[in-house]
Amino acid sequence: MIQIENNSHLNLTPLYALHQKYNAKLVDFANYSMPIYYPNGIIKEHLHCRQACGLFDVSHMGQIMLSGSIHIAALLETLVPSNIQTLPLNAIRYSVLLNEAGGVIDDLMITKQAEDAYFLVVNASRKHIDFNIIQELCKTVPDIQCDLLSDTALIALQGPQSSTVLEPLLSGCSKLKFMHSHIFSYDGHKLHVSRSGYSGQDGFEISLPSHLAVPFVTELLKNPLCLPIGLGARDSLRLEAGLCLYGHELTEDISPIEARLQWIIPKRRRQEANFPGSQRILNEISKEPSKKRVGILPEGRSPIRDGATILNQEGKECGYITSGGFSPSLKMPICMGYVNSDIKKSHSIFLEQRQKKIPAQIVNLPFIRHSYTKN
């Protein structure tokens, strides 16, 4: 990435000049200068992404390439609880890096590019922590090359018209299956394209050389179906989809079972019990964790912010809000949080914010039904 030269500590992504051109409101996010919204505003950006196609700069995310050994999958399974050794070629798996206590160091996407090559995408705020852990582990196996890619951009197209927008530039991308990837050619360069995303709907993530980012994105934005979208709408989209955000729903103290991610741990891994924190995690699977992630609908029109206290019907503290905001699709406030496991959907709860007690209801996640491609 490029370093700002005006004595600022912030990094710039390869699309920084484009954000300025489109008059983005830029903020400090994970030590990067990132667009929070453009002149249309968060609500219009959110709804456009739900209806057509939104383009996100996510170049601040960490991209890690592991190559050189057929033992990489087995090595990764010493860090994550998912099944990596049977991952098909070009398939993608969502998983979590675990600490020894069963807490989540980070969540990530793992793609098998070849028998001896795996591509990882990790969160911006955790990428150096993740890379150091993975790099140290790789030193235990000969021939593994572990690289944190530094001259590579990452963009995301999300929305029902994403394939329509991308197909003219990358012929054949519309045939790509959900949670699968393929290497496409553009202007003589290789682009790693995955059909995945963070909005609960169809979309793609494209990893490409930094110098191609501006011309490639400029071509995409020539299509009126495609608009640049900031991190504000990215957050409201993922919240509607009931997706976890690291530092909110996921932390080093929260287990994947508390976060209701037990589906990422298959039968073989449960039986082998050879991943970090397995004793705690398997105990929570067989019994019940002390707390659980839930969706919550507060009464009224005021958004509830993270950190708000959840009270039971007797007025005693029983949980806390991890993410909250206004849902442009539902036209109402929504939030996620953790409640004690004995709290049921039928129970009355209240949210305490600014010394006010707001009645609320526990609901199933997601708030908006997922609409991933089924091809």
Side-chain angles (χ1 to χ4, degrees):
M1 297 300 172
I2 307 164
Q3 183 76 30
I4 300 178
E5 297 180 356
N6 60 354
N7 297 321
S8 173
H9 67 286
L10 296 183
N11 296 306
L12 303 180
T13 75
L15 290 173
Y16 178 76
L18 187 141
H19 301 319
Q20 290 184 309
K21 175 184 176 181
Y22 281 86
N23 298 311
K25 170 65 176 177
L26 297 166
V27 299
D28 179 352
F29 185 85
N31 293 321
Y32 283 83
S33 181
M34 297 296 293
I36 192 72
Y37 56 80
Y38 296 85
N40 281 334
I42 292 175
I43 291 179
K44 287 185 178 180
E45 289 177 17
H46 177 113
L47 294 175
H48 182 85
C49 192
R50 285 280 184 242
Q51 297 160 3
C53 175
L55 186 148
F56 303 81
D57 179 11
V58 287
S59 301
H60 60 313
M61 303 282 282
Q63 301 180 69
I64 300 173
M65 179 61 70
L66 303 178
S67 60
S69 173
I70 61 172
H71 302 295
I72 293 173
L75 194 73
L76 286 171
E77 286 191 359
T78 67
L79 296 174
V80 307
S82 303
N83 197 342
I84 309 302
Q85 295 192 60
T86 59
L87 187 63
L89 186 64
N90 295 321
I92 306 166
R93 187 140 290 158
Y94 171 78
S95 193
V96 294
L97 288 176
L98 294 170
N99 60 32
E100 292 300 325
V104 177
I105 297 172
D106 199 7
D107 60 336
L108 74 166
M109 301 288 269
I110 302 171
T111 302
K112 181 177 181 178
Q113 287 193 338
E115 292 299 327
D116 63 348
Y118 288 76
F119 176 65
L120 282 54
V121 177
V122 301
N123 284 299
S125 63
R126 309 293 288 177
K127 63 182 176 183
H128 295 293
I129 294 171
D130 298 350
F131 179 70
N132 289 338
I133 291 171
I134 295 168
Q135 186 182 47
E136 283 301 309
L137 188 61
C138 286
K139 291 178 181 178
T140 65
V141 178
D143 303 324
I144 293 184
Q145 181 71 28
C146 180
D147 296 305
L148 179 60
L149 306 183
S150 60
D151 197 26
T152 306
L154 187 66
I155 62 172
L157 288 179
Q158 294 287 287
Q161 298 296 327
S162 296
S163 63
T164 301
V165 171
L166 189 58
E167 180 70 22
L169 276 72
L170 302 179
S171 178
C173 71
S174 59
K175 297 179 181 179
L176 193 60
K177 294 181 180 179
F178 177 59
M179 291 297 280
H180 282 72
S181 73
H182 187 72
I183 301 297
F184 290 85
S185 179
Y186 178 80
D187 195 27
H189 295 272
K190 293 181 179 180
L191 278 63
H192 175 265
V193 181
S194 67
R195 197 155 200 169
S196 59
Y198 196 46
S199 64
Q201 55 195 343
D202 191 19
F204 301 85
E205 291 193 347
I206 303 115
S207 175
L208 69 168
S210 293
H211 72 274
L212 278 183
V214 169
F216 185 75
V217 167
T218 299
E219 285 298 311
L220 290 172
L221 292 176
K222 288 180 180 179
N223 191 321
L225 292 172
C226 184
L227 292 179
I229 310 293
L231 295 181
R234 181 172 169 85
D235 190 54
S236 58
L237 288 160
R238 72 92 195 169
L239 180 55
E240 286 185 349
L243 302 176
C244 295
L245 173 64
Y246 196 86
H248 292 253
E249 288 71 43
L250 299 174
T251 71
E252 291 211 34
D253 296 319
I254 294 172
S255 77
I257 311 309
E258 292 173 327
R260 292 195 164 180
L261 298 177
Q262 56 264 33
W263 55 269
I264 70 173
I265 311 174
K267 183 178 180 181
R268 175 178 70 84
R269 301 307 313 280
R270 297 183 191 192
Q271 291 175 338
E272 292 175 350
N274 56 358
F275 50 85
S278 58
Q279 183 174 354
R280 170 192 176 183
I281 289 171
L282 295 175
N283 184 60
E284 289 180 347
I285 291 175
S286 63
K287 297 178 182 178
E288 194 172 42
S290 60
K291 61 180 182 288
K292 59 187 177 183
R293 179 170 65 97
V294 296
I296 298 173
L297 292 180
E299 290 187 5
R301 303 287 293 173
S302 298
I304 306 298
R305 301 305 177 188
D306 60 282
T309 300
I310 303 174
L311 307 174
N312 63 17
Q313 53 194 4
E314 285 80 33
K316 295 181 179 180
E317 184 174 340
C318 66
Y320 58 95
I321 298 299
T322 52
S323 294
F326 186 81
S327 164
S329 301
L330 298 175
K331 297 181 174 58
M332 62 189 300
I334 59 175
C335 45
M336 284 192 292
Y338 282 91
V339 296
N340 297 341
S341 289
D342 60 351
I343 302 296
K344 309 301 180 185
K345 279 182 61 179
S346 59
H347 292 176
S348 298
I349 61 168
F350 300 87
L351 309 180
E352 191 171 50
Q353 181 169 260
R354 300 190 188 94
Q355 299 180 334
K356 293 182 179 180
K357 293 182 180 179
I358 301 165
Q361 177 186 3
I362 295 175
V363 296
N364 292 331
L365 292 171
F367 298 101
I368 299 292
R369 179 178 293 180
H370 294 168
S371 56
Y372 302 118
T373 179
K374 299 297 183 182
N375 62 348

